[in-house]
Amino acid sequence: DEHDGSVDHSSTAQLVSAAAEYMRKHDYEGALQIYSYVRNRTKVWDSALTELRVLSNRSLCLQRVRGRLPELVSACDEALRRMAELRRSGGAGVTEEMLLRM
C-alpha cells in the first residue's frame, strides 16, 4: 500500500512473471508496459536481481518494438549504470556471471 509505506513484493513478482509470459508470446509491447509500470512504481526491490531483470528485460522489449530508439538508448544506459553501481558496492548478491549474462 502506497499510503503506509509498505512494499508488496508478491505483486511485483506476479507482474514480472506476467511480463515474462508476454515476452514468451512475443507480445513485447505488452511486456514493455508491465516492466515500465513495475520500474516506475517499485521504490524498494525485493532483490537487486529482480531490479536488474526488470531493467534488462525492458531493454530487450524496446529492441523488439520499432520506433523507440531514444527510449532504448535510455533504458540500456539505465541498466548499465545500475549494474556498475552494484559492481562498485560489492554486487548485492548478484554475481559477476549473472551481470555478464544480462
Side-chain angles (χ1 to χ4, degrees), residues 10-90:
S10 65
S11 66
T12 298
Q14 289 171 348
L15 287 169
V16 169
S17 178
E21 187 60 33
Y22 276 72
M23 286 181 74
R24 278 190 284 283
K25 294 177 180 177
H26 304 286
D27 181 357
Y28 299 105
E29 187 69 48
L32 176 60
Q33 289 177 0
I34 296 170
Y35 285 127
S36 295
Y37 174 81
V38 169
R39 183 185 135 262
N40 292 329
R41 295 280 299 172
T42 305
K43 303 301 180 213
V44 178
W45 296 92
D46 64 338
S47 72
L49 185 58
T50 300
E51 178 186 11
L52 291 177
R53 188 171 288 129
V54 167
L55 295 175
S56 176
N57 286 347
R58 187 169 174 270
S59 297
L60 290 172
C61 289
L62 284 164
Q63 288 176 27
R64 302 287 185 161
V65 176
R66 300 238 185 261
R68 309 274 289 261
L69 187 58
E71 270 183 271
L72 172 60
V73 171
S74 177
C76 290
D77 283 346
E78 180 183 5
L80 290 171
R81 189 170 36 253
R82 186 65 181 123
M83 286 177 188
E85 288 172 6
L86 286 170
R87 190 176 282 134
R88 280 193 302 274
S89 69

Side-chain angles (χ1 to χ4, degrees), residues 1-7:
D1 185 302
E2 63 187 342
H3 300 294
D4 67 8
S6 63
V7 178

